Amino acid sequence: MNKQQHLFLISEDSIESAALVHFLKLKLAVDVELLSSPEQLNISQNVDTDYFFLVNLQYISSANEQEWHHEINQWTTNTSIILFNTDPELETHLLQAWPLCAGIFQKSADQEQLIKGINCVFAGEYWFSRSTMTSQLATLRTRLHRQYQPYAKLTSREVEILKQVMTGASNMQIADNLFLSEHTVKSHLYNVFKKLKVKNRLQAVSWAREYI
């Protein structure tokens, strides 16, 4: 069964906003509701409905931004956020600040782009600029490469010993804790240092704190 879709327009209570609500209803064929104060978000959610917030960032940036941000992010079930009236240079920052963000429209976006993008979000897709998508993908690939490649090369025993090193335990203490000989611990640590391309315990712990 297809879920219903409900769109909240977060913007000022004005003639322009009312006109935008009418336009969105006409073009998207969904229920559209204008919300102008955070208190209006104190309503119950229907599990059979997907909710979308179309947020006029220019408006909330000048009116209770923190309160708006808090209230909107309480809606974590069946919810997507679309930001419009944004500045191009802030796009990457906005993705971090709004975890549920599925689309961003800059101030230069026209009505045709807005409708096309919202329909994409309705269909479960994302709508971001090509440069932002490229940047985010590159960052993710670099992070995954750095994080999982060295980690995947460590054996479970080596990871276990490295975690012991992170506590400040000596080789003898690690040997006692894991019921190994001290020679075996030294051998494992040698392999860990070699795989991680580090020279000492301090560098190994620094790596482990970031990736384990």
Side-chain angles (χ1 to χ4, degrees):
M1 183 178 68
N2 292 331
K3 289 187 176 182
Q4 293 184 333
Q5 295 172 326
H6 191 98
L7 179 66
F8 292 110
L9 171 63
I10 309 296
S11 191
E12 71 276 8
D13 187 1
S14 66
I15 295 176
E16 291 79 7
S17 295
L20 180 56
V21 167
H22 177 75
F23 172 76
L24 293 170
K25 285 182 178 179
L26 185 65
K27 294 293 184 179
L28 299 172
V30 299
D31 291 330
V32 182
E33 184 177 351
L34 175 64
L35 302 180
S36 300
S37 67
E39 292 77 16
Q40 291 176 282
L41 281 172
N42 189 23
I43 55 181
S44 60
Q45 292 178 256
N46 187 332
V47 295
D48 295 324
T49 301
D50 286 328
Y51 295 94
F52 301 87
F53 289 91
L54 180 60
V55 182
N56 182 349
L57 203 66
Q58 190 171 350
Y59 168 64
I60 70 166
S61 293
S62 59
N64 304 322
E65 180 176 3
Q66 292 301 320
E67 190 175 355
W68 273 115
H69 192 277
H70 173 75
E71 291 297 332
I72 293 173
N73 280 307
Q74 297 302 304
W75 291 56
T76 56
T77 304
N78 305 332
T79 302
S80 296
I81 295 172
I82 305 166
L83 305 176
F84 74 106
N85 271 343
T86 69
D87 294 314
E89 63 273 12
L90 294 178
E91 194 159 325
T92 300
H93 166 73
L94 292 173
L95 286 177
Q96 297 171 349
W98 298 85
L100 298 178
C101 182
I104 294 179
F105 297 88
Q106 299 172 8
K107 293 176 180 177
S108 59
D110 58 29
Q111 291 183 337
E112 183 179 348
Q113 288 177 306
L114 185 64
I115 295 302
K116 183 177 180 180
I118 292 175
N119 275 321
C120 283
V121 175
F122 281 177
E125 301 176 13
Y126 293 100
W127 187 273
F128 304 120
S129 67
R130 183 182 295 270
S131 60
T132 295
M133 292 291 285
T134 301
S135 174
Q136 291 298 307
L137 181 58
T139 299
L140 177 61
R141 292 180 66 178
T142 299
R143 184 182 302 156
L144 290 175
H145 178 76
R146 290 179 58 199
Q147 180 170 353
Y148 293 111
Q149 285 299 105
Y151 185 76
K153 294 178 182 178
L154 297 180
T155 66
S156 58
R157 176 64 81 182
E158 288 167 352
V159 171
E160 192 175 19
I161 289 176
L162 185 53
K163 288 180 178 179
Q164 290 281 321
V165 172
M166 292 174 69
T167 68
S170 66
N171 288 352
M172 184 177 294
Q173 290 171 325
I174 295 173
D176 291 340
N177 292 339
L178 300 181
F179 304 102
L180 301 171
S181 71
E182 190 172 355
H183 173 76
T184 300
V185 172
K186 288 181 179 178
S187 177
H188 281 306
L189 280 177
Y190 172 81
N191 290 331
V192 169
F193 291 174
K194 186 176 180 180
K195 289 178 180 180
L196 301 183
K197 295 181 173 61
V198 299
K199 297 180 179 180
N200 52 50
R201 299 168 86 94
L202 183 61
Q203 291 178 351
V205 168
S206 178
W207 181 92
R209 283 175 178 168
E210 185 173 359
Y211 297 118
I212 291 182

